[in-house]
Coordinates of all heavy atoms in Angstrom, one line a residue:
S6 N -2.5 162.2 92.8 CA -1.9 162.6 91.6 C -0.3 163.0 92.0 O -0.1 163.0 93.2 CB -2.5 163.7 90.9 OG -2.2 164.9 91.7
A7 N 0.5 163.0 91.0 CA 1.9 163.3 91.3 C 2.0 164.7 92.1 O 3.1 164.8 92.8 CB 2.7 163.4 90.0
D8 N 1.1 165.6 91.8 CA 1.1 166.9 92.4 C 0.3 167.0 93.6 O -0.1 168.2 94.1 CB 0.9 168.1 91.5 CG -0.5 167.9 90.7 OD1 -1.2 166.9 91.2 OD2 -0.8 168.7 90.0
C9 N -0.1 165.9 94.3 CA -0.8 165.8 95.5 C -2.3 165.9 95.5 O -2.9 166.0 96.4 CB -0.3 166.7 96.5 SG 1.2 166.3 97.1
R10 N -3.0 166.1 94.2 CA -4.4 166.2 94.1 C -5.0 164.7 94.5 O -4.5 163.7 94.0 CB -4.8 166.6 92.7 CG -4.6 168.1 92.3 CD -4.9 168.3 90.9 NE -4.0 167.7 90.0 CZ -4.3 166.9 89.1 NH1 -5.6 166.5 89.0 NH2 -3.4 166.2 88.3
H11 N -6.1 164.9 95.2 CA -7.0 163.6 95.6 C -7.7 163.3 94.4 O -8.6 164.0 94.1 CB -7.6 163.9 96.7 CG -8.4 162.7 97.2 ND1 -9.3 162.8 98.4 CD2 -8.4 161.5 96.9 CE1 -9.9 161.7 98.7 NE2 -9.4 160.8 97.7
L12 N -7.5 162.2 93.6 CA -8.0 161.8 92.4 C -9.3 161.0 92.5 O -10.2 161.3 92.0 CB -7.0 161.2 91.5 CG -5.9 162.0 91.0 CD1 -5.0 161.1 90.2 CD2 -6.4 163.2 90.2
A13 N -9.2 160.0 93.5 CA -10.4 159.0 93.5 C -10.2 158.2 94.8 O -9.2 157.9 95.4 CB -10.4 158.1 92.3
D14 N -11.5 157.7 95.3 CA -11.5 156.8 96.3 C -12.3 155.6 95.8 O -13.2 155.7 95.1 CB -12.3 157.4 97.6 CG -11.5 158.4 98.3 OD1 -11.3 159.4 97.9 OD2 -11.0 158.0 99.4
L15 N -11.9 154.4 96.3 CA -12.5 153.1 95.8 C -12.5 152.1 97.0 O -11.6 152.0 97.7 CB -11.6 152.6 94.6 CG -12.1 151.4 93.9 CD1 -13.3 151.7 93.1 CD2 -10.9 150.9 93.0
D16 N -13.6 151.4 97.1 CA -13.7 150.3 98.0 C -13.9 149.0 97.4 O -14.6 148.9 96.4 CB -15.0 150.5 98.9 CG -14.9 151.5 100.0 OD1 -13.6 151.9 100.3 OD2 -15.8 152.1 100.4
V17 N -13.0 148.0 97.8 CA -13.0 146.6 97.2 C -13.1 145.7 98.3 O -12.2 145.7 99.3 CB -11.8 146.4 96.3 CG1 -11.8 145.0 95.9 CG2 -11.7 147.5 95.2
T18 N -14.0 144.8 98.3 CA -14.1 143.8 99.3 C -13.6 142.5 98.9 O -13.9 142.0 97.7 CB -15.6 143.6 99.6 OG1 -16.2 144.8 100.2 CG2 -15.9 142.6 100.7
L19 N -12.7 141.9 99.7 CA -12.0 140.6 99.3 C -12.3 139.6 100.3 O -12.4 139.9 101.6 CB -10.5 140.9 99.4 CG -9.9 142.0 98.5 CD1 -8.5 142.1 98.6 CD2 -10.2 141.6 97.0
T20 N -12.7 138.4 99.7 CA -12.8 137.3 100.5 C -11.5 136.5 100.9 O -10.6 137.0 100.3 CB -13.9 136.3 100.0 OG1 -13.5 135.9 98.6 CG2 -15.2 137.0 99.9
D21 N -11.6 135.4 101.6 CA -10.4 134.7 102.0 C -9.7 134.2 100.7 O -10.4 133.7 99.8 CB -10.6 133.6 102.9 CG -9.4 133.0 103.4 OD1 -8.4 133.7 103.8 OD2 -9.3 131.8 103.7
N22 N -8.4 134.6 100.5 CA -7.6 134.2 99.5 C -8.0 134.8 98.1 O -7.7 134.4 96.9 CB -7.4 132.7 99.2 CG -6.8 131.9 100.4 OD1 -5.7 132.6 100.8 ND2 -7.2 131.0 100.8
D23 N -8.8 136.0 98.1 CA -9.3 136.5 97.0 C -8.2 137.5 96.3 O -7.3 137.9 97.0 CB -10.5 137.4 97.4 CG -11.3 137.8 96.3 OD1 -11.1 137.4 95.1 OD2 -12.3 138.5 96.5
T24 N -8.5 137.7 95.1 CA -7.4 138.6 94.3 C -8.3 139.5 93.4 O -9.3 139.2 92.7 CB -6.5 137.7 93.4 OG1 -5.6 137.0 94.3 CG2 -5.7 138.6 92.6
T25 N -7.8 140.7 93.3 CA -8.5 141.7 92.3 C -7.4 142.4 91.5 O -6.2 142.6 91.9 CB -9.3 142.6 93.0 OG1 -10.1 143.5 92.1 CG2 -8.5 143.6 93.8
I26 N -7.6 142.6 90.3 CA -6.8 143.4 89.4 C -7.5 144.8 88.9 O -8.7 144.7 88.5 CB -6.3 142.8 88.2 CG1 -5.7 141.4 88.6 CG2 -5.6 143.6 87.2 CD1 -5.4 140.6 87.3
V27 N -6.9 145.9 89.2 CA -7.6 147.3 89.1 C -6.9 148.0 88.1 O -5.6 148.1 88.1 CB -7.7 148.0 90.4 CG1 -8.2 149.5 90.2 CG2 -8.5 147.3 91.5
D28 N -7.6 148.5 87.1 CA -7.2 149.3 86.1 C -7.5 150.7 86.3 O -8.8 151.0 86.3 CB -7.8 148.8 84.7 CG -7.4 149.7 83.6 OD1 -6.8 150.6 83.7 OD2 -7.9 149.4 82.4
P29 N -6.6 151.7 86.6 CA -7.0 153.1 86.9 C -7.7 153.7 85.9 O -8.2 154.9 86.0 CB -5.8 153.7 87.4 CG -4.6 153.0 86.7 CD -5.2 151.5 86.7
S30 N -7.7 153.4 84.6 CA -8.5 153.9 83.5 C -10.1 153.4 83.5 O -10.8 153.8 82.7 CB -7.9 153.5 82.2 OG -8.0 152.3 81.8
H31 N -10.2 152.5 84.4 CA -11.7 151.9 84.6 C -11.9 151.6 86.1 O -12.1 150.4 86.5 CB -11.9 150.8 83.7 CG -13.3 150.3 83.4 ND1 -14.0 150.8 82.5 CD2 -14.1 149.5 84.2 CE1 -15.2 150.2 82.6 NE2 -15.3 149.5 83.6
L32 N -12.0 152.6 86.9 CA -12.1 152.3 88.3 C -13.5 152.2 88.7 O -14.4 153.0 88.3 CB -11.5 153.5 89.1 CG -10.0 153.8 89.2 CD1 -9.8 155.1 89.8 CD2 -9.3 152.6 89.8
Q33 N -13.8 151.1 89.5 CA -15.2 150.9 89.9 C -15.0 149.9 91.3 O -14.2 149.2 91.3 CB -16.0 150.1 88.8 CG -17.4 150.1 89.1 CD -18.2 149.6 87.9 OE1 -17.5 148.8 87.1 NE2 -19.4 149.8 87.8
A34 N -15.9 150.3 92.2 CA -16.0 149.6 93.4 C -16.3 148.1 93.1 O -17.1 147.8 92.1 CB -17.0 150.3 94.3
E35 N -15.9 147.3 94.1 CA -16.1 145.7 94.0 C -16.7 145.3 95.3 O -16.2 145.7 96.3 CB -14.9 145.0 93.5 CG -14.4 145.4 92.3 CD -13.1 144.7 91.9 OE1 -13.0 143.5 92.4 OE2 -12.4 145.1 91.0
S36 N -17.6 144.4 95.3 CA -18.1 143.8 96.5 C -18.4 142.4 96.1 O -18.5 141.9 95.0 CB -19.3 144.4 97.0 OG -20.4 144.3 96.0
Q37 N -18.5 141.4 97.2 CA -18.9 140.1 96.8 C -19.9 139.7 97.9 O -19.8 139.7 99.1 CB -17.5 139.2 97.1 CG -17.8 137.9 96.6 CD -16.5 137.0 96.4 OE1 -15.4 137.7 96.4 NE2 -16.5 135.8 96.3
A38 N -21.0 139.3 97.3 CA -22.1 138.9 98.2 C -22.0 137.5 98.8 O -21.1 136.7 98.1 CB -23.4 138.9 97.4
A39 N -22.5 137.2 99.8 CA -22.5 135.9 100.4 C -22.8 134.7 99.4 O -23.8 134.9 98.8 CB -23.3 135.8 101.7
G40 N -22.0 133.8 99.3 CA -22.3 132.6 98.4 C -21.8 133.0 97.0 O -21.9 132.1 96.1
A41 N -21.6 134.2 96.6 CA -21.0 134.5 95.2 C -19.5 134.1 95.1 O -18.8 134.0 96.0 CB -21.1 136.0 94.9

């Protein structure tokens, strides 16, 4: 936060040339299984 509070932690897994768009009003971890 602007006043230094720790708000959230999030893990996102990216494959080669992968792209993600994250909306902080809807934070959720992301992963990509083999072949997906």
